[in-house]
Amino acid sequence: MKTALAGMRPRRLAFLGAALLAAYGAAAAYDPRIDHITARAEGLFMTVSVRSLDYSGDVRRDLTLWHIEKAFFVPRLGGAWTADFGVGIGGKTAYGSWEVRYSLALPPATVGGESHTLQMHNLEINGRSFFVKNPIYHPYGLLGIDLSMLKITNGSYYHGDRLTAIYAGGGINVGGGLMVDLNAKTFIALEALYRFTVYLYAYGQGKGRDINYMHVGTMDGAPLGRLLRTTGLGLSLSLGFVL
């Protein structure tokens, strides 16, 4: 058992731990042998939130990908931190919560040697399992999935024209935080989150292209041979309203 765990990568261990935590919280919420409690604020809710992430990976380097006669410029983020603003809807009990959140960030980026504002769209589904059964204070672990889209003006080149490029992908969220019920209708949450994202397809003129088979630098360059990868680590603050 120790040998198997030692051979696992830290990212896989974090994913496994969060999954086990979520499973435990879900089981506790429905176990008839447990004396169930009620949170001060629970039920269907909406949230508004802000999150700041420090991204690394392929969005921190100069990279041009080619497919036959078409070039795609991978955006290089300019600032150290990228803030997004989001809205969400979900459900909450004294044992955990789930939430669907959409967010948009507009960071500055260098695209093919030009300065542009990048659109980062994210749709995520997160589950939170509370460590302590308390009607007001809820420290928790988080595990979620994320669908991501980068939209870049003048992000591709085709037959002498600069066109809009879109990169589409997905990933996982792992984190934790503290949720506090202010009253029966509102709560706040402070959260630390790690996000790992891969981008599978690039879209410009015509159908999407599999990034695995695109070439680096020029069409004569070596195949990339993998997906675009990026990671983000940061903090978020959200305010929730029970409906």
Side-chain angles (χ1 to χ4, degrees), residues 6 8 28 38 48 67 76 78 143 155 163 168 176 184-185 192 224 230 232 240:
M8 296 182 69
T38 302
V48 292
H67 182 273
R76 181 182 182 183
L143 178 65
L163 306 171
K185 288 294 184 180
L224 182 62
T230 183

Side-chain angles (χ1 to χ4, degrees), residues 45 91-93 95-99 126-130 179:
F45 64 80
K92 174 177 173 295
T93 70
Y95 304 90
S97 72
W98 61 269
E99 181 182 7
N126 294 319
R128 298 174 177 87
S129 183
F130 298 154
M179 188 179 293

Side-chain angles (χ1 to χ4, degrees), residues 147-169:
L147 300 177
S148 180
M149 183 182 77
L150 303 182
K151 184 177 181 181
I152 311 108
T153 302
N154 292 341
S156 65
Y157 177 87
Y158 181 70
H159 286 179
D161 295 325
R162 294 290 290 267
L163 306 171
T164 297
I166 293 175
Y167 297 89

Side-chain angles (χ1 to χ4, degrees), residues 9-32:
R9 295 181 179 179
R11 191 177 295 139
R12 293 180 180 177
L13 284 173
F15 185 89
L16 177 61
L20 291 174
L21 176 65
Y24 170 79
Y30 296 102
D31 191 334

